[in-house]
Amino acid sequence: MGIKIEVFRMMLYLSFPVAMFWISNQAEYFEEYVVKRKREIFPPDDKLKRKELEDFKERMRVLKEQRILKQISAESEN
């Protein structure tokens, strides 16, 4: 009886991770979830939002340049 139960336990220990791996790699189970999550993280490109982002980046660049120039002019006056 001892060897039969050991073989059963060994088969159980080996088959469980293999079964979980096989189930987790089935595309039809997770395709909808993955596509939905990907669209939440990386939304489709919107021209208006892209333009707003570019304008914002340009304003921040100009402000940073002005701040640096102001610091440089203040240092040169001293």
Side-chain angles (χ1 to χ4, degrees), residues 37-75:
R37 186 70 177 153
K38 183 179 176 185
R39 289 206 174 137
E40 286 176 6
I41 295 172
F42 304 108
D45 220 11
D46 184 15
K47 299 291 183 193
L48 180 61
K49 288 185 180 183
R50 170 74 63 184
K51 178 74 172 131
E52 289 175 1
L53 180 62
E54 293 298 326
D55 291 344
F56 176 75
K57 286 168 46 176
E58 181 64 23
R59 286 193 317 262
M60 291 296 111
R61 186 186 61 77
V62 168
L63 286 173
K64 185 176 180 180
E65 286 178 358
Q66 289 173 352
R67 194 176 327 124
I68 290 172
L69 287 173
K70 192 182 291 184
Q71 287 175 353
I72 291 172
S73 65
E75 290 175 0

